[in-house]
Amino acid sequence: MSAFYPTIAGIFKLKNIPDYLEVKNFAENVQNPYLPFRTAVRSIIKRGTMLGKTVKTLQWRYTEWDEGNRNTELYDETSDPDEYINLAANPAYSSIIVEMKKILNQKE
C-alpha cells in the first residue's frame, strides 16, 4: 500500500484516518527531508523462476533467493560498496544474518 494517503492526511491534518492502514505517515519528512525516517528498506525481485527478497541498511545488504533455498547474499556496503564479496557463507557474519532476517521478515 502506498504511503501517499497517510502522508497527505497528515499534512492536511485530516481526521478519522482508518486504523487499518499499515503504512507510515511521512508528513514530517516531506516538511523536513533531513529527518531520518527508516533504518532499512526492503524489496522483492523476480529473476526467471527465482524470487529474491532483500533488506538493505546503511551498512548491509542481505538477500534470500527463494526463501534462502537457492542462495543467500550478504554484503558490507561500507567496505564493499560494489558488492564483490558475498559474506553469507562466512560463519563470522552469522549474527548479522540473523538480525537481517529479522528485519527482512518483520511487518511494518
Side-chain angles (χ1 to χ4, degrees):
M1 174 177 276
S2 168
F4 183 74
Y5 175 75
T7 300
I8 293 299
I11 289 171
F12 290 101
K13 298 179 182 11
L14 300 180
K15 305 291 183 212
N16 301 322
I17 298 170
D19 292 334
Y20 59 82
L21 297 178
E22 296 178 6
V23 294
K24 184 177 176 186
N25 173 350
F26 293 105
E28 284 185 353
N29 298 94
V30 170
Q31 293 162 345
N32 183 354
Y34 297 103
L35 288 175
F37 67 95
R38 196 173 276 215
T39 58
V41 293
R42 294 175 284 186
S43 64
I44 297 175
I45 186 170
K46 188 170 184 179
R47 286 195 183 146
T49 61
M50 291 193 309
L51 186 66
K53 295 192 320 186
T54 297
V55 61
K56 188 171 183 324
T57 64
L58 285 174
Q59 183 171 2
W60 304 102
R61 179 177 73 82
Y62 175 72
T63 302
E64 291 182 346
W65 292 99
D66 287 338
E67 305 294 326
N69 294 319
R70 301 227 18 224
N71 195 15
T72 57
E73 301 174 28
L74 177 69
Y75 298 99
D76 184 337
E77 299 291 317
T78 305
S79 63
D80 182 20
D82 294 321
E83 300 180 348
Y84 289 120
I85 303 166
N86 183 357
L87 303 168
N90 186 331
Y93 295 92
S94 61
S95 63
I96 300 296
I97 290 174
V98 168
E99 289 302 312
M100 296 300 283
K101 280 180 174 250
K102 284 181 192 174
I103 298 169
L104 181 65
N105 295 313
Q106 75 186 10
K107 302 280 187 206
E108 278 192 47

